[in-house]
Amino acid sequence: MQFLRESFIVFRRQLRMNLRNPAWVIIGMLQPVMYLFLFGPLLKPLIGQLGVENEYTFFVPGMLVQLGIFGAFFAGFSLIGEWREGVIEAERVTPASRTALLVGRLVRDLLQLLVQAGILVGLGYLLGMTGSARGIVFGVLLTLLVGGACAAASNALALTTKSEDVMAPVINMVMMPVLLLSGILLPMTLGPQWLQSVSDWMPFKWVTDGVRTSFSGDFARDPMLYGTAWAAVLFVLSLWWGTATFRRENA
Amino acid sequence: MIQARGLVQTFRSREGRKKTEVRAVDGVDLDVAEGEVVGFLGPNGAGKTTTLRMLTTLLRPTEGTATVAGFDVVTQSEQVRRSIGYVSQTGGAFSSARAGDEVVDHGMLYGMRGADATRRGKELFEQLDLDGLWTRMPKNMSGGQRRRLDIAMGLIHDPTLVFLDEPTTGLDPQARANLWEHIADLRRRRGATVFLTTHYLDEADHLSDRIVIIDHGRIVASDSAENLKANISGDLVDLELASAGDVTSAARRLGSMAEPGRGGAEAVEVDGFHVRARVAQAGRAVPGLLADLSRADITLESIEVHRPTLDDVFLTLTGRSLRDAQETTTDGAGPGEPAPPATPALVRQEQ
């Protein structure tokens, strides 16, 4: 109860600061729209190979995972600014739970993701995407799970490096293989066998497949199981890492 | 209120491939009574902030124990946090958030109800001359206003013990004098115990009942400013003689009353017609000296007595002036990082 209250105080503070910055709101909302309109059409000629009737049925779930992963990866940058101004130290000197200090921030990131997902799915429908309602809800939940994992990891990384200059290259280094090997933009099945085998080692590929499968409403298939399992594992590990950095004396 | 025994903090630092262990705080014992205002004085990198971070539960001591407001900083850190207010060097209000919101949220993290935190925050704004700034962002405030806002945040939950880390660093003289008033008020109005770090001698002198001096991670002195000055340095007596022939004789007489333990005649400095020496409680000694000199037919042009400053105290205790110590220490460490202590070798070189 106290934990929820503390998380909420932190969340409310974050949300208030973000809403006061209109650029943040506009960019956050525009991102999914731009991807849909400027990248989606490129997939149209590939419909046959994608095994779907409408390119957005393939693209929207992938886009969702991408927003979840990449939007959240950048969440840590605002934390460095706060740390530099002594906000984290001031919060750590209060009796509030250290996990709450992290969770309050994660909830803000997840709220942003949820709104973006709503825009994405809504527009996708308008553009002809098909999918089961139950499957879409579960797919969004899965995305939130993996987004929370990435946001927690990003916050942990921010408090560990304490410098945008160190953090930016690290994030870029992680992002490249994730983007290329997770089949977000194009399905990995288009590639040669060796590339598919490599991508089997990429947890985010399983999550992407899981979300795509979920959208189709076919819960019984393997990718669902692997995707959900990976998302849960990543979430638990990242939350543990994030809390540890907030708890650590030097942070 | 504070009782620390043998506090040690070591940091591993890395230069290239060489790993070194730095003892930022090296066995600190500290006692602060309820209602006391203690100034924690030392050059940058002496271990002030690191000690403070251990006492405020932000940093776990490598060795040693500390009890703050009756609770152990390691095993009862939550109770310690509840009882203390801490104003760090960087403050704690985000520059683009509204001042009032930051203060209320901070209070609520202490478990206060929103309405209570608001009422209390507004009260504090009034007391700290921040009226009308409730909705202003810190980035649009003056340096002095920002510091007072930081103090308001630190006081929101009415702590009985307040830690202030270099409260006036970077403020202009007027804002500083104003902040001193407010710091003095902490005890006058609410009976709070105050523990403040500073590297300004005049600040420690002006605000504290007792001064604790730290250098290279060790406490080198702890006493009232008056006693520190009286016991350690003595007052500087500066005689200007009318004729050069009297210099030797005057130097011998002044030397005989110079502070014991500081080498008698060796402590006398002769500079042209001037003869200077440090004399304990010169106010009492000077009448006798004058009589002695007149018996010996020595005529004085002038006599001056300088009360020692804390800079003299620091010089006596550490062999270097606070200003030198400051300059030879790197000051680049961020707020979260402990400043590395000055290396003695470096200090020697400068002198």
Side-chain angles (χ1 to χ4, degrees):
Chain A
M1 195 51 218
Q2 197 186 344
F3 171 79
L4 290 181
R5 180 178 180 274
E6 288 164 358
S7 302
F8 176 73
I9 295 166
V10 174
F11 162 69
R12 194 186 50 182
R13 177 174 173 278
Q14 294 293 330
L15 188 66
R16 195 164 48 211
M17 292 197 303
N18 280 337
L19 290 180
R20 201 163 291 146
N21 182 357
W24 177 84
V25 179
I26 293 168
I27 291 171
M29 300 306 118
L30 224 52
Q31 243 176 352
V33 179
M34 297 221 288
Y35 266 111
L36 277 185
F37 285 103
L38 303 182
F39 189 81
L42 294 178
L43 292 172
K44 204 167 181 68
L46 295 174
I47 285 180
Q49 277 158 294
L50 298 177
V52 287
E53 279 162 31
N54 182 291
E55 64 271 23
Y56 291 100
T57 306
F58 167 83
F59 189 53
V60 169
M63 212 59 267
L64 203 57
V65 176
Q66 194 197 348
L67 278 175
I69 298 174
F70 294 81
F73 264 157
F74 287 95
F77 282 99
S78 71
L79 193 67
I80 296 181
E82 286 194 279
W83 172 80
R84 194 169 288 130
E85 295 200 19
V87 175
I88 308 301
E89 181 114 328
E91 287 181 350
R92 288 179 70 244
V93 91
T94 70
S97 146
R98 270 88 256 266
T99 313
L101 301 181
L102 174 66
V103 167
R105 290 176 164 85
L106 291 188
V107 174
R108 170 209 54 186
D109 298 330
L110 292 183
L111 180 70
Q112 177 187 4
L113 187 54
L114 187 64
V115 173
Q116 288 181 325
I119 295 176
L120 206 56
V121 171
L123 282 177
Y125 259 123
L126 291 181
L127 293 168
M129 175 185 86
T130 52
S132 92
R134 213 158 50 102
I136 288 173
V137 170
F138 189 80
V140 170
L141 286 178
L142 212 53
T143 307
L144 290 178
L145 202 58
V146 81
C150 293
S154 174
N155 278 313
L157 190 65
L159 272 193
T160 308
T161 61
K162 292 172 187 153
S163 148
E164 288 93 343
D165 295 339
V166 179
M167 191 162 151
V170 173
I171 297 261
N172 270 323
M173 219 164 61
V174 175
M175 257 170 36
M176 280 311 285
V178 170
L179 183 69
L180 296 176
L181 291 178
S182 56
I184 284 171
L185 300 174
L186 293 168
M188 294 316 293
T189 46
L190 290 183
Q193 186 54 44
W194 69 266
L195 194 60
Q196 293 188 38
S197 308
V198 173
S199 76
D200 284 346
W201 294 93
M202 169 56 63
F204 293 104
K205 188 201 87 163
W206 294 105
V207 177
T208 311
D209 279 357
V211 174
R212 247 175 221 146
T213 312
S214 171
F215 266 53
S216 74
D218 194 357
F219 287 93
R221 283 172 52 202
D222 272 0
M224 276 304 296
L225 179 67
Y226 290 131
T228 312
W230 267 118
V233 167
L234 289 172
F235 184 77
V236 169
L237 284 179
S238 304
L239 198 65
W240 171 78
W241 183 28
T243 307
T245 51
F246 266 89
R247 198 180 299 275
R248 202 176 46 216
E249 306 93 40
N250 261 325
Chain B
M1 278 308 246
I2 304 176
Q3 195 184 48
R5 289 292 170 267
L7 280 186
V8 172
Q9 185 69 52
T10 58
F11 295 107
R12 259 174 264 274
S13 69
R14 226 200 193 134
E15 273 174 56
R17 294 225 176 135
K18 207 177 65 188
K19 275 191 208 168
T20 48
E21 208 182 51
V22 178
R23 282 173 95 83
V25 173
D26 192 7
V28 161
D29 294 337
L30 203 62
D31 288 279
V32 175
E34 194 170 340
E36 228 185 342
V37 178
V38 173
F40 199 39
L41 181 74
N44 284 325
K48 296 188 300 284
T49 299
T50 307
T51 306
L52 210 64
R53 285 168 57 80
M54 285 192 277
L55 294 176
T56 52
T57 75
L58 290 172
L59 199 60
R60 185 187 282 262
T62 315
E63 282 170 41
T65 56
T67 315
V68 171
F71 301 104
D72 187 276
V73 291
V74 176
T75 58
Q76 298 170 300
S77 54
E78 200 181 315
Q79 286 97 318
V80 172
R81 288 182 193 132
R82 239 172 248 292
S83 334
I84 62 168
Y86 171 55
V87 181
S88 74
Q89 274 175 54
T90 34
F94 194 65
S95 54
S96 352
R98 287 196 182 133
D101 291 343
E102 291 291 81
V103 172
V104 172
D105 279 349
H106 197 63
M108 288 180 76
L109 283 181
Y110 278 100
M112 296 173 78
R113 283 180 35 233
D116 293 340
T118 308
R119 184 157 28 76
R120 173 97 182 102
K122 293 205 159 149
E123 238 172 68
L124 283 167
F125 268 49
E126 204 171 300
Q127 286 169 18
L128 290 163
D129 298 328
L130 290 168
D131 320 46
L133 300 184
W134 187 257
T135 55
R136 184 162 310 174
M137 292 183 185
K139 66 178 172 194
N140 300 325
M141 291 183 176
S142 73
Q145 288 169 336
R146 277 191 85 148
R147 285 318 273 163
R148 295 204 299 274
L149 171 63
D150 296 336
I151 292 177
M153 274 178 83
L155 295 178
I156 187 74
H157 57 300
D158 241 330
T160 47
L161 170 60
V162 184
F163 290 90
L164 302 167
D165 196 4
E166 310 210 345
T168 66
T169 301
L171 293 186
D172 61 71
Q174 252 176 325
R176 241 176 118 212
N178 171 279
L179 199 64
W180 282 1
E181 281 304 304
H182 288 294
I183 294 173
D185 262 0
L186 291 181
R187 176 171 54 179
R188 210 160 40 217
R189 272 208 209 171
R190 60 184 74 239
T193 309
V194 181
F195 189 82
L196 69 113
T197 74
T198 179
H199 54 235
Y200 296 125
L201 294 157
D202 55 340
E203 185 160 290
D205 201 358
H206 184 270
L207 289 173
S208 355
D209 304 325
R210 187 154 63 88
I211 291 175
V212 176
I213 300 180
I214 185 170
D215 192 37
H216 295 324
R218 290 170 190 271
I219 305 280
V220 291
S222 164
D223 210 333
S224 70
E226 276 309 294
N227 284 345
L228 281 176
K229 291 180 201 168
N231 293 342
I232 297 168
S233 302
D235 303 334
L236 185 70
V237 177
D238 183 343
L239 306 175
E240 190 188 351
L241 300 166
S243 93
D246 292 337
V247 166
T248 327
S249 161
R252 189 165 43 76
R253 280 160 214 280
L254 183 58
S256 71
M257 61 196 323
E259 199 187 327
R262 293 211 52 192
E266 284 165 33
V268 180
E269 183 191 333
V270 178
D271 174 16
F273 282 66
H274 284 270
V275 176
R276 298 187 195 97
R278 293 219 172 259
V279 174
Q281 310 210 347
R284 292 177 174 279
V286 163
L289 174 69
L290 289 179
D292 192 20
L293 290 173
S294 91
R295 267 200 301 279
D297 259 340
I298 297 174
T299 318
L300 291 178
E301 264 319 299
S302 71
I303 177 166
E304 276 183 59
V305 176
H306 300 282
R307 300 280 290 133
T309 63
L310 274 171
D311 203 10
D312 297 323
V313 172
F314 194 81
L315 179 69
T316 321
L317 286 171
T318 65
R320 62 198 210 283
S321 80
L322 192 56
R323 196 165 300 119
D324 288 342
Q326 215 81 268
E327 281 164 4
T328 52
T329 310
T330 43
D331 195 16
E337 246 105 86
T343 50
L346 205 64
V347 173
R348 296 282 136 67
Q349 271 173 15
E350 284 288 307
Q351 291 175 338

